[in-house]
Amino acid sequence: MNSIGFMQGRLSPLIDNKIQSFPWTNWQKEFQIASANNLRTIEWTIDQERLYENPLLTEIGTKEIKNLCKKYQIKIPSLTGDCFMQNPFWKATGTKKKKLQNDFINILYACNKVNISIVLVPLVDNGSIENTEQENNLLNFLTSQKELIKRLSLRIGFESDYSPKRLKSFIDKFDDDTFGINYDTGNSSCLGFNPIDEFAEYGKRIINVHIKDRPFGGSTVPLGKGDANFLLIFQMLREYNYNGNFILQTARAEDDDHLGVLLKYQNTVLEFAKNTGIIRKNI
């Protein structure tokens, strides 16, 4: 069933003017605000800085997350691992590589405890794969952890800046649906990719969708102000029988009305979903 959710932090004030960061002082309150506005799906985010202080990775925090989910009827189906992008283990060597791989495994266990089922690995920006060695590092490690990932009832989703054909070649190296693609509408428009080409190559491997808008070669802007062809994207999602979530990773409010702008974007996505018939039932 499709749900429209939001990236954790989008209901909190900006931190150090960053569009996305874990909302240390406001994360509990986001559950209350979301519930009061009928937002029932949150995608968790976790940074490398203070990694093991993140409530997801503490015993007390895990209990609090589960209590908040129950109290406010919120689901956390997915996690964006910004920490992996900030300090990618596939680019590291020696003891640092081992430590970062261990961090990854600890995050998998933590996700299982709070019923997160999709862990997203961003292969963009600082996490962008630059050569065959880095790709093989990623492939070999994740393949070695496949049984653990399955045992913890998890799936891994890759967000990538690869061209459609190259991304198909990459994801085909993972031979089952334990691994899939996170489709980011804004990143694709920024890179000038055609949704028809993208879905033809890997449409059936998409397991999560990030909603944002970017102009070609530019950064995140309000929905409708960039080059993302949302009508075509939603038509493609319908054609390829996508049944996952839509996570609002949208531009922040210029007037600090973060709730207001998020609800506006939610309505925009809901209209596209309705117009293309992608909604199955309650969203």
Side-chain angles (χ1 to χ4, degrees), residues 51-52 83-84 89-90 98-110 119-121 138 141-142 145 148-149 156 179:
L51 178 67
Y52 286 95
C83 56
F84 310 139
F89 62 79
W90 51 95
K98 290 291 185 184
K99 179 193 177 301
L100 294 173
Q101 289 175 338
N102 190 58
D103 290 345
F104 184 90
I105 291 170
N106 287 338
I107 290 169
L108 296 184
Y109 279 107
V119 175
L120 302 178
V121 179
L138 180 67
F141 174 70
L142 291 180
Q145 300 303 315
L148 173 63
I149 294 165
I156 303 297
F179 301 92

Side-chain angles (χ1 to χ4, degrees), residues 71-272:
K71 178 178 180 179
Y72 292 110
Q73 296 182 298
I74 299 287
K75 292 184 178 180
I76 310 173
S78 50
L79 169 142
T80 280
D82 281 345
C83 56
F84 310 139
M85 175 179 63
Q86 293 157 357
N87 226 336
F89 62 79
W90 51 95
K91 296 186 180 184
T93 58
T95 56
K96 182 178 181 181
K97 180 179 179 180
K98 290 291 185 184
K99 179 193 177 301
L100 294 173
Q101 289 175 338
N102 190 58
D103 290 345
F104 184 90
I105 291 170
N106 287 338
I107 290 169
L108 296 184
Y109 279 107
C111 287
N112 173 262
K113 289 179 181 177
V114 298
N115 297 316
I116 289 173
S117 59
I118 297 176
V119 175
L120 302 178
V121 179
L123 307 177
V124 296
D125 299 329
N126 191 57
S128 181
I129 294 175
E130 300 162 314
N131 53 53
T132 303
E133 181 183 8
Q134 292 175 8
E135 183 175 303
N136 288 338
N137 284 340
L138 180 67
L139 177 67
N140 293 338
F141 174 70
L142 291 180
T143 300
S144 75
Q145 300 303 315
K146 179 179 171 180
E147 293 309 312
L148 173 63
I149 294 165
K150 295 176 77 168
R151 181 161 57 83
L152 294 175
S153 302
L154 296 170
R155 301 173 80 188
I156 303 297
F158 300 104
E159 183 174 314
S160 174
D161 54 12
Y162 276 178
S163 68
K165 286 187 181 297
R166 190 177 179 194
L167 186 50
K168 173 181 168 48
S169 176
F170 171 77
I171 198 62
D172 282 351
K173 294 174 182 177
F174 296 92
D175 59 4
D176 67 25
D177 65 0
T178 304
F179 301 92
I181 299 296
N182 178 72
Y183 184 80
D184 188 297
T185 61
N187 290 356
S188 289
S189 63
C190 171
L191 293 165
F193 296 152
N194 184 327
I196 294 175
D197 297 335
E198 293 177 299
F199 279 81
E201 296 293 348
Y202 56 78
K204 293 187 181 298
R205 300 295 297 268
I206 295 172
I207 61 174
N208 197 63
V209 172
H210 283 172
I211 298 289
K212 64 172 177 275
D213 204 352
R214 297 174 66 178
F216 178 64
S219 55
T220 303
V221 295
L223 295 189
K225 300 295 185 181
D227 290 322
N229 188 338
F230 287 105
L231 181 58
L232 178 57
I233 289 167
F234 274 82
Q235 288 171 342
M236 290 291 100
L237 288 165
R238 176 60 173 163
E239 182 176 330
Y240 283 81
N241 298 312
Y242 176 69
N243 64 356
N245 297 319
F246 303 102
I247 302 299
L248 298 168
Q249 198 185 30
T250 40
R252 305 303 300 270
E254 294 181 359
D255 60 359
D256 293 329
D257 182 14
H258 300 296
L259 172 61
V261 77
L262 197 69
L263 293 176
K264 175 185 174 183
Y265 294 147
Q266 181 193 36
N267 287 333
T268 300
V269 172
L270 190 57
E271 284 304 307
F272 280 118

